Amino acid sequence: FESPTEADATLPAVAIKPIIINFATASWALTPDMKEKIENELGQLSVEFAGMKVRIEGNTDNVGGAAMNRELSYKRAKSVADYLVKTYNFDPNRFVIVGNGPDKPVADNNSENGRAANRRTEFQLLGK
């Protein structure tokens, strides 16, 4: 794979796989449960679509500053990619890491459940 480009960050996805991993506030650390979920939901899919680049988008709730949340969401997406590289020996250039911060919520940030739902990653297969 060639190194990811800026254009890869906005390419239309051919498939999207939401990964419901709820990170703790201000954390990007993967717990054993999260790693198992990644293996179950992403590992095999990544092997089946071995010729495609994968965009991993990290997201946060709206607590804290926008710049801090973009950095945190990037670290969340990168932690998933790093785990896949280490576990499956994937080419690191295969992964396009995007930190959306709080810009793409899937739930209302006015409740703890909503904020927890927004602290997530999303896995997108990109066309060639």
Side-chain angles (χ1 to χ4, degrees), residues 42-51 54 84 90 94-95 123:
L42 295 182
Q44 190 56 40
L45 189 62
S46 296
V47 171
E48 290 171 11
F49 293 96
V54 178
L84 288 167
F90 287 134
R94 180 176 187 194
F95 298 102
F123 179 82

Side-chain angles (χ1 to χ4, degrees), residues 88-110:
Y88 292 93
N89 201 32
F90 287 134
D91 181 342
N93 286 331
R94 180 176 187 194
F95 298 102
V96 179
I97 310 301
V98 177
N100 293 324
D103 297 340
K104 292 186 175 182
V106 294
D108 188 341
N109 276 305
N110 291 323

Side-chain angles (χ1 to χ4, degrees), residues 2 4 13 15-16 19 23 30-31 37 39 48 51 53 59 67 70 73 77 82-83 98 100 104 108 114-115 127-128:
E2 294 182 17
I16 297 174
I19 310 165
F23 289 87
L30 294 174
T31 65
K37 192 170 214 176
E39 289 175 18
E48 290 171 11
K53 276 194 170 182
N59 299 276
R70 270 189 275 291
S73 62
D82 289 347
Y83 181 73
V98 177
N100 293 324
K104 292 186 175 182
D108 188 341
R115 288 188 296 276
K128 296 181 180 182

Side-chain angles (χ1 to χ4, degrees), residues 73-84:
S73 62
Y74 179 89
K75 288 178 178 179
R76 288 177 175 166
K78 186 157 177 19
S79 70
V80 172
D82 289 347
Y83 181 73
L84 288 167

